Amino acid sequence: MNYFPDLPYAVGVVGAGSGIGRAVAGFLGRQGVSVACLDRNLAEAEKTARAVVADGGKAVAISIDVCDDSSLAPALDRMEQAFSRIHGVVNCAGITGHTNLKGHEVDMDDFDLVYRINLRGSMVLSKAVLPRMLAHNYGRLLHIASIAGKEGNAGMTAYSATKAGIIGLVKSLGKDYAETGITINALAPAVIHTPMVEALPKATADHIISKIPMRRCGELDEAAAMIAWIVSPACSFTTGFTFDLSGGRATY
Ligand SMILES: NC(=O)c1ccc[n+]([C@@H]2O[C@H](COP(=O)([O-])OP(=O)(O)OC[C@H]3O[C@@H](n4cnc5c(N)ncnc54)[C@H](O)[C@@H]3O)[C@@H](O)[C@H]2O)c1
């Protein structure tokens, strides 16, 4: 199915150097969307962009660090120079931080880092992107939260708390911009096959999968297809919402 009948259409994928972001960039490229592959790991973002181009798509790789406020405007400027517009942004930059820790064992430096990337990063990116979308009265902004933000994963306090924060963030931002043609949503995946998941201790990953009624991980293509639709013009009457992608784990 073609989600993007009216091209050109440009989407920035933050965290495009790996995992879900890389898969989304590839999916969007195959739909004819121009993709800015944004990541703090420029070498990996370049690999993603090269793969999109090799597949017949349009892509550029751009360095960004959502922890470094000063990196955002230049990165978005570069995207606008490359594609003239920013129709959509998908924010896949995120880390789990240290896991398998009870609350009293949490290292606050690690907690602060998870907060800076997952939650503050989502806010500072929104602040940087929204004026550029407002200029055209159109935009699609999607932050990747997690099932952990809805249900809380044991041993993942910082991750769960910051992902819950993203769910609250989009509820508020969605209402702020509801009359503008800009939608701001989140996606709450359960475990998806990615390097981040492979990096989790096996016990943590097994525990998470055991809670999924479909008894499997989600696949990258399943995440990419849903994300592409959410940032397409077709997804036009939903804002402030957290979409579910959890194999039946969260039915709310
Ligand atoms: N994989 C899963 O099962 C799963 C489940 C639920 C939610 N999520 C969320 O989806 C998002 C993507 O997850 P993934 O599994 O693809 O992760 P990943 O580790 O494979 O990719 C994350 C990417 O974000 C980039 N990044 C990290 N910090 C950054 C920063 N400060 N600025 C810019 N880029 C930065 C990394 O370089 C990397 O390329 C994350 O927010 C994650 O929490 C993943």
Side-chain angles (χ1 to χ4, degrees):
M1 179 191 275
N2 181 7
Y3 299 155
F4 302 93
D6 297 320
L7 298 171
Y9 195 91
V11 174
V13 181
V14 181
S18 176
I20 295 174
R22 177 168 276 169
V24 174
F27 190 98
L28 289 169
R30 289 190 291 280
Q31 295 266 325
V33 172
S34 305
V35 190
C37 300
L38 300 132
D39 206 292
R40 70 176 171 186
N41 187 335
L42 184 59
E44 291 301 322
E46 281 169 347
K47 270 193 214 162
T48 304
R50 277 198 297 275
V52 171
V53 171
D55 228 5
K58 291 194 190 70
V60 291
I62 300 171
S63 174
I64 196 169
D65 181 348
V66 298
C67 292
D68 173 7
D69 296 10
S70 70
S71 77
L72 299 185
L76 297 175
D77 286 348
R78 278 209 52 207
M79 178 174 170
E80 285 178 330
Q81 281 153 16
F83 303 131
S84 1
R85 277 276 295 273
I86 300 175
H87 294 90
V89 169
V90 182
N91 176 21
C92 302
I95 60 167
T96 56
H98 299 156
T99 59
N100 263 349
L101 298 171
K102 298 222 183 284
H104 70 278
E105 297 167 328
V106 168
D107 172 71
M108 289 314 293
D109 287 339
D110 185 63
F111 189 98
D112 289 345
L113 179 63
V114 175
Y115 158 75
R116 280 189 70 77
I117 295 177
N118 292 2
L119 183 52
R120 189 180 183 284
S122 297
M123 181 57 200
V124 80
L125 181 65
S126 301
K127 264 178 74 84
V129 165
L130 284 165
R132 297 169 194 252
M133 292 181 169
L134 274 175
H136 300 278
N137 288 313
Y138 180 85
R140 299 280 181 268
L141 178 54
L142 177 69
H143 295 289
I144 311 302
S146 169
I147 188 81
K150 282 185 170 180
E151 305 236 313
N153 283 349
M156 299 178 80
T157 310
Y159 187 73
S160 302
T162 54
K163 294 298 186 176
I166 291 174
I167 292 169
L169 181 84
V170 304
K171 284 183 185 175
S172 178
L173 289 177
K175 291 189 176 74
D176 282 348
Y177 296 91
E179 294 176 77
T180 66
I182 301 169
T183 67
I184 300 127
N185 291 296
L187 175 70
V191 66
I192 309 286
H193 262 136
T194 63
M196 190 177 90
V197 170
E198 278 156 29
L200 288 176
K202 187 175 179 316
T204 308
D206 287 350
H207 177 67
I208 296 169
I209 290 170
S210 75
K211 295 187 162 200
I212 298 174
M214 290 188 188
R215 292 283 185 266
R216 66 170 178 90
C217 289
E219 294 302 328
L220 283 170
D221 278 352
E222 293 173 315
M226 190 169 190
I227 290 167
W229 180 72
I230 295 167
V231 299
S232 78
C235 183
S236 51
F237 197 48
T238 306
T239 195
F241 185 61
T242 296
F243 288 81
D244 176 63
L245 186 71
S246 71
R249 181 173 167 192
T251 51
Y252 61 95

